[in-house]
Amino acid sequence: MDCFDTHTHSEGKGIHELRAMVEKGIKRVVSCAYYPVEPSGPSTLIDLFRKLTTFEMERGRKAGMVIYAAIGIHPRCIPPGYDKVLEYLEENPSTAFGEIGLETASSAEVEVLEKQLELAKKLDVPCIVHTPRKNKEVVTDKVLEVLQKVGMPEDLVVVDHANVKTAGKILKNGYWAGLTVQPGKLSKEEVKFIVDEYGSERFLLNSDTGFSDEELFAVSDTVEFLQQHFSRQDVEKLAFKNAEKFLRL
Amino acid sequence: MDCFDTHTHSEGKGIHELRAMVEKGIKRVVSCAYYPVEPSGPSTLIDLFRKLTTFEMERGRKAGMVIYAAIGIHPRCIPPGYDKVLEYLEENPSTAFGEIGLETASSAEVEVLEKQLELAKKLDVPCIVHTPRKNKEVVTDKVLEVLQKVGMPEDLVVVDHANVKTAGKILKNGYWAGLTVQPGKLSKEEVKFIVDEYGSERFLLNSDTGFSDEELFAVSDTVEFLQQHFSRQDVEKLAFKNAEKFLRL
């Protein structure tokens, strides 16, 4: 089945690896902005966004893959003078803002998240919102609080890297929940458990595959596994239909 | 035979591709700074250098590969306010400056090359100097003129992407010459022809492999081919000994 990987860092993958993903059915991916060292100035992120929305999309095309660029300030990548980055985002919104969100929920992170959400709301742009490994429940609560405060339309937000404990709460608040299948995050079996519990309607599957040894085929492997347990309609939603709806393609 | 690829953009390769190179004997590479869109400010390059000298070297280690970072302002990547980049280079020199050089030989490019060469001379840092595909002979002459003007010590410079027409002149001027084996650059047979003509003493082999479809194993394939034609001593120089000498490892 064709698959849509809704959260990758495709930059970290070579073109042969992208091709291998396409061969496994992963023909569309979102590539989220992230910089592996803390940026020292705004141009680092602005140029990263320019790279993702031009060069990286073209690299995808060469590999037979459609790459959608999500651009935004990751909580671990807040540069001094980040207002200039917000100005760029306002003038050049991409398919989605991402990944934005909270890592430690420091006041600086909350401020940057709020400003980006307000901008996304104003411009009507979907947002991919990161939650961390550490203190996931506490920080997810904080994310939900910020979303509430900004009054974000539910359809515009996926709260990503949800787990067995946070998925229900995210859905109860009306948002999409992102399920990241990767060692250290979710297993295929946990995805099945979550879909059994909450249905297939509001979940987006992804691998978060990027600069290191992450599994390339997490989404296609998971889709194959889910086909053994759920109807074709349910699996299609998880494989690509929900992604199309969220990103309004 | 163990190989040293003296000019790559390893950032464009996934970790599985880096591992495949190691399996073919390419255990050490130089990763040269280059940004795929024209940087809009100095922090883009400074953060790229920070990424290459920390995160990227670590990514190499994970793949079993030793990555040496070459940092510097590529002629196609001159940002406004590049003086700040020069300050960073002066305070944080890496194994080599690279890739620096000329693409069109515009006055801005010449100025930036000159300033970097002067800094490298002062700090005694080896330089990897790019020459373009287009107008290679004319621009190589210009590179040699700038090197002459700055009075660069011969041992500190490899003039890279040399070809059958430029190799002799580069050597006559005393510098190292870089031989890039890639479709559109040199074939293995041309490398053999050049080594037949000028000996093995002053050449560095590389692939320039990076963000796209370039061949990964260009250096190991070439070394294998050269072993059929030259002595072990000659091939070892081309495979890694010259690189060690140039980079002073």
Side-chain angles (χ1 to χ4, degrees):
Chain A
M1 188 180 288
D2 282 2
C3 297
F4 201 135
D5 190 337
T6 60
H7 185 141
T8 73
H9 300 281
S10 63
E11 287 179 282
K13 298 300 172 205
I15 203 160
H16 301 95
E17 294 170 346
L18 298 181
R19 278 209 192 92
M21 290 172 77
V22 171
E23 273 164 33
K24 292 274 189 178
I26 307 162
K27 296 181 183 171
R28 291 180 287 178
V29 312
V30 175
S31 190
C32 292
Y34 173 74
Y35 204 80
V37 296
E38 203 177 309
S40 66
S43 81
T44 306
L45 288 190
I46 290 168
D47 292 337
L48 170 64
F49 303 163
R50 292 170 57 226
K51 180 190 170 199
L52 287 172
T53 53
T54 59
F55 177 85
E56 186 63 7
M57 289 173 72
E58 179 56 34
R59 209 171 66 96
R61 272 189 287 276
K62 272 187 209 155
M65 176 183 270
V66 181
I67 294 180
Y68 297 92
I71 60 178
I73 308 172
H74 188 289
R76 285 202 301 270
C77 304
I78 304 171
Y82 72 80
D83 278 348
K84 285 201 177 153
V85 183
L86 295 177
E87 278 166 31
Y88 181 91
L89 288 169
E90 179 152 18
E91 284 158 25
N92 307 274
S94 182
T95 309
F97 281 1
E99 60 183 298
I100 61 175
L102 298 177
E103 178 71 26
T104 62
S106 68
S107 57
E109 285 184 9
V110 169
E111 182 183 298
V112 172
L113 174 61
E114 254 184 57
K115 288 188 179 176
Q116 292 187 97
L117 290 172
E118 272 158 12
L119 197 55
K121 185 181 167 190
K122 181 175 147 191
L123 302 174
D124 191 30
V125 175
C127 294
I128 296 167
V129 181
H130 165 93
T131 60
R133 285 183 201 215
K134 219 172 152 182
N135 297 325
K136 187 174 286 289
E137 288 172 79
V138 175
V139 179
T140 300
D141 285 348
K142 186 69 192 171
V143 163
L144 294 171
E145 190 189 312
V146 177
L147 290 167
Q148 197 72 34
K149 186 181 165 200
V150 175
M152 277 304 281
E154 284 99 353
D155 275 341
L156 280 191
V157 176
V158 56
V159 180
D160 216 336
H161 316 319
N163 68 14
V164 176
K165 289 180 178 167
T166 63
K169 196 180 281 182
I170 295 165
L171 260 55
K172 213 176 123 195
N173 279 265
Y175 304 110
W176 298 88
L179 301 177
T180 304
V181 187
Q182 233 6 279
K185 290 180 175 164
L186 292 177
S187 66
K188 295 192 286 269
E189 291 74 17
E190 285 171 309
V191 171
K192 177 187 174 291
F193 178 86
I194 290 171
V195 176
D196 262 336
E197 190 81 9
Y198 303 104
S200 59
E201 214 59 44
R202 295 292 274 183
F203 291 109
L204 302 179
L205 283 183
N206 63 71
S207 68
D208 201 9
T209 198
F211 299 92
S212 187
D213 260 323
E214 312 87 1
E215 284 178 16
L216 287 168
F217 312 129
V219 168
S220 54
D221 288 351
T222 303
V223 164
E224 208 179 307
F225 174 75
L226 294 175
Q227 283 179 302
Q228 301 163 25
H229 301 281
F230 298 100
S231 71
R232 185 171 180 89
Q233 273 138 318
D234 278 326
V235 180
E236 277 181 351
K237 282 180 193 163
L238 296 160
F240 62 90
K241 286 198 168 165
N242 290 352
E244 288 172 348
K245 204 168 164 190
F246 172 66
L247 295 170
R248 304 181 290 188
L249 304 175
Chain B
M1 189 181 288
D2 282 1
C3 297
F4 201 135
D5 190 336
T6 60
H7 185 141
T8 73
H9 301 280
S10 62
E11 287 179 282
K13 298 300 171 205
I15 203 160
H16 301 95
E17 294 171 346
L18 297 182
R19 278 209 193 93
M21 290 172 77
V22 172
E23 273 165 34
K24 291 274 188 178
I26 306 162
K27 297 182 183 169
R28 291 180 287 178
V29 313
V30 175
S31 190
C32 293
Y34 172 74
Y35 204 81
V37 295
E38 204 177 309
S40 66
S43 80
T44 306
L45 288 190
I46 291 168
D47 292 338
L48 169 64
F49 303 163
R50 291 170 56 226
K51 180 190 171 200
L52 287 172
T53 52
T54 59
F55 177 85
E56 187 61 8
M57 289 173 71
E58 180 55 35
R59 209 171 66 94
R61 272 188 287 273
K62 274 186 208 158
M65 176 183 270
V66 181
I67 294 180
Y68 298 91
I71 60 178
I73 308 172
H74 188 288
R76 286 203 301 270
C77 304
I78 304 172
Y82 72 80
D83 278 349
K84 286 201 177 153
V85 184
L86 296 177
E87 278 166 31
Y88 181 90
L89 287 170
E90 179 153 17
E91 283 159 26
N92 307 274
S94 182
T95 309
F97 281 1
E99 60 183 298
I100 61 176
L102 298 178
E103 178 71 25
T104 63
S106 69
S107 57
E109 285 184 9
V110 170
E111 182 183 298
V112 171
L113 174 60
E114 255 184 57
K115 288 189 178 174
Q116 293 186 96
L117 290 172
E118 272 159 11
L119 197 55
K121 185 181 167 190
K122 181 176 147 191
L123 301 174
D124 191 30
V125 174
C127 294
I128 297 168
V129 181
H130 165 91
T131 60
R133 286 183 201 216
K134 220 173 152 182
N135 297 324
K136 185 174 289 287
E137 288 172 80
V138 175
V139 179
T140 300
D141 284 349
K142 186 69 193 172
V143 163
L144 293 171
E145 190 189 312
V146 176
L147 289 166
Q148 197 70 35
K149 187 182 164 199
V150 174
M152 279 303 284
E154 285 98 353
D155 275 341
L156 280 190
V157 176
V158 56
V159 179
D160 215 336
H161 317 319
N163 68 14
V164 175
K165 288 179 178 168
T166 63
K169 195 180 281 179
I170 295 165
L171 261 54
K172 213 176 123 196
N173 279 266
Y175 304 109
W176 298 88
L179 301 177
T180 304
V181 187
Q182 237 359 284
K185 290 181 175 162
L186 293 177
S187 65
K188 295 191 286 269
E189 291 74 18
E190 284 171 310
V191 171
K192 175 186 175 292
F193 177 87
I194 291 171
V195 176
D196 262 335
E197 190 80 9
Y198 303 105
S200 59
E201 212 60 45
R202 293 292 274 183
F203 291 109
L204 302 179
L205 282 183
N206 63 71
S207 68
D208 202 9
T209 198
F211 299 92
S212 189
D213 260 322
E214 312 88 2
E215 284 177 14
L216 286 168
F217 311 129
V219 168
S220 53
D221 287 352
T222 303
V223 164
E224 206 178 308
F225 173 75
L226 294 175
Q227 283 178 302
Q228 300 163 24
H229 301 280
F230 299 101
S231 71
R232 185 173 180 89
Q233 273 138 319
D234 278 325
V235 180
E236 277 182 352
K237 282 181 193 162
L238 296 160
F240 62 90
K241 286 199 170 165
N242 289 352
E244 289 172 348
K245 202 167 164 190
F246 171 66
L247 295 170
R248 304 183 288 188
L249 303 176

